[in-house]
Amino acid sequence: MGIRKTLKNLLGFKSDLASLTVVGVGPGDSSLLTFAAVQAIKKAKLIVFPISSDDKKSSSAEIVKKYIKFKRKIPIIFPMARQEFDPDQIWSSAVDIIVKSVRNNKSVALLCLGDPSLYASSSNILRIINNNYPEIITRTIPGISSISAAAALSNFDLVKKGETLIVKECPSSKSELITLIIQTKANKTVLVLMKVGKRWGSVKEVLKKEKIINKALIALNVGMPDQIIQHASKYNVETMPYFSLILIRPN
């Protein structure tokens, strides 16, 4: 009974009132969409999704394109830590669009690549709405993360009994990364480094120095057509794309 009630709440059956639903659409493969995500998207009157600039497609929108073909869609440029964008202004503009639509009795789905609980820009929008517009109903549909997908595709156990799992944005300095790896070696810790990208060159040097490059797996553009999942020692390109992560079990 409890599971059934929870599923109904996720799908939006609890209330017919207009609302905002943040929808995790998974890492890139449309077959990894959850049933709850598809139902929430079908129910929404307005689809909001992030883009990195005016001339680029949205990865999250591409994943669900067959479900949003005939729906009203609004792309929003997300800052992605780029200096030319003012993040506060972007979040405020996005919130204004969403709040106005909900008040006009339109249910809104905000698409989120991967899972909304992991480094998701959508959390900024959700926080502003919950703090400033408490009357607006909000929900979050979890999605399959790139971490879980990469681990499954490579038969990598993210965490075993007695281990600790650390998920961290890739450090910008070698010294910080070395300290982190030394700590993981001493404490039976599995390390997931997110957003490796242009830092790959220095990361590779550290992995070699600490003699764990053969114990590390890289996962690039998980779920997308150009997906790469392989041992770090075999990846010889100088940089990695934005959607990149490394799985490391030092011991």
Side-chain angles (χ1 to χ4, degrees):
M1 185 69 171
I3 294 176
R4 185 178 301 172
K5 182 178 180 181
T6 300
L7 180 59
K8 286 184 177 181
N9 288 345
L10 284 173
L11 298 181
F13 297 148
K14 185 179 180 180
S15 172
D16 292 328
L17 297 175
S19 61
L20 165 66
T21 303
V22 179
V23 182
V25 297
D29 185 349
S30 59
S31 69
L32 295 180
L33 281 168
T34 66
F35 178 75
V38 172
Q39 292 299 101
I41 290 168
K42 286 181 176 180
K43 182 179 179 182
K45 300 296 183 183
L46 171 66
I47 306 296
V48 178
F49 54 85
I51 57 175
S52 58
S53 66
D54 287 322
D55 60 347
K56 290 187 177 180
K57 290 184 178 181
S58 166
S59 297
S60 57
E62 282 293 301
I63 295 170
V64 300
K65 60 184 179 181
K66 73 177 182 179
Y67 300 111
I68 65 174
K69 187 175 181 180
F70 300 109
K71 290 184 177 289
R72 185 183 173 217
K73 299 176 282 290
I74 297 181
I76 296 174
I77 297 178
F78 275 21
M80 305 295 186
R82 290 166 60 182
Q83 294 181 354
E84 65 265 35
F85 297 121
D86 179 356
D88 291 333
Q89 183 178 350
I90 287 175
W91 305 142
S92 296
S93 298
V95 167
D96 288 344
I97 292 170
I98 292 170
V99 169
K100 182 178 179 180
S101 297
V102 173
R103 285 178 172 171
N104 286 332
N105 203 33
K106 293 180 180 177
S107 293
V108 180
L110 172 59
L111 305 184
C112 175
L113 194 65
D115 180 79
S117 66
L118 281 170
Y119 294 106
S121 296
S122 58
S123 61
N124 294 288
I125 294 175
L126 198 59
R127 170 179 50 80
I128 294 171
I129 290 178
N130 287 335
N131 288 342
N132 299 325
Y133 305 94
E135 74 280 5
I136 291 180
I137 298 171
T138 61
R139 305 180 183 87
T140 299
I141 305 293
I144 294 174
S145 70
S146 59
I147 299 172
S148 297
L153 289 167
S154 57
N155 294 318
F156 184 94
D157 291 321
L158 276 177
V159 60
K160 298 178 182 178
K161 185 176 181 180
E163 291 181 333
T164 299
L165 176 66
I166 292 180
V167 179
K168 187 174 178 63
E169 188 171 354
C170 184
S172 56
S173 72
K174 289 183 182 179
S175 59
E176 185 181 351
L177 179 55
I178 290 172
T179 299
L180 184 60
I181 289 174
I182 290 173
Q183 291 173 346
T184 61
K185 286 181 177 179
N187 297 301
K188 293 186 68 175
T189 299
V190 177
L191 179 62
V192 179
L193 296 177
M194 305 285 291
K195 304 179 183 180
V196 181
K198 296 179 181 179
R199 300 168 182 157
W200 165 240
S202 60
V203 171
K204 187 174 184 178
E205 288 181 20
V206 172
L207 295 180
K208 285 181 177 179
K209 182 179 179 180
E210 295 300 316
K211 299 180 180 179
I212 59 171
I213 193 164
N214 292 321
K215 298 180 180 180
L217 288 170
I218 63 166
L220 316 178
N221 296 327
V222 178
M224 301 177 187
D226 55 349
Q227 166 185 288
I228 295 175
I229 298 178
Q230 64 184 47
H231 284 96
S233 59
K234 296 180 180 179
Y235 187 74
N236 298 316
V237 182
E238 293 300 316
T239 61
M240 290 183 174
Y242 178 81
F243 298 116
S244 54
L245 63 90
I246 301 179
L247 306 172
I248 306 170
R249 175 175 277 105
N251 299 311

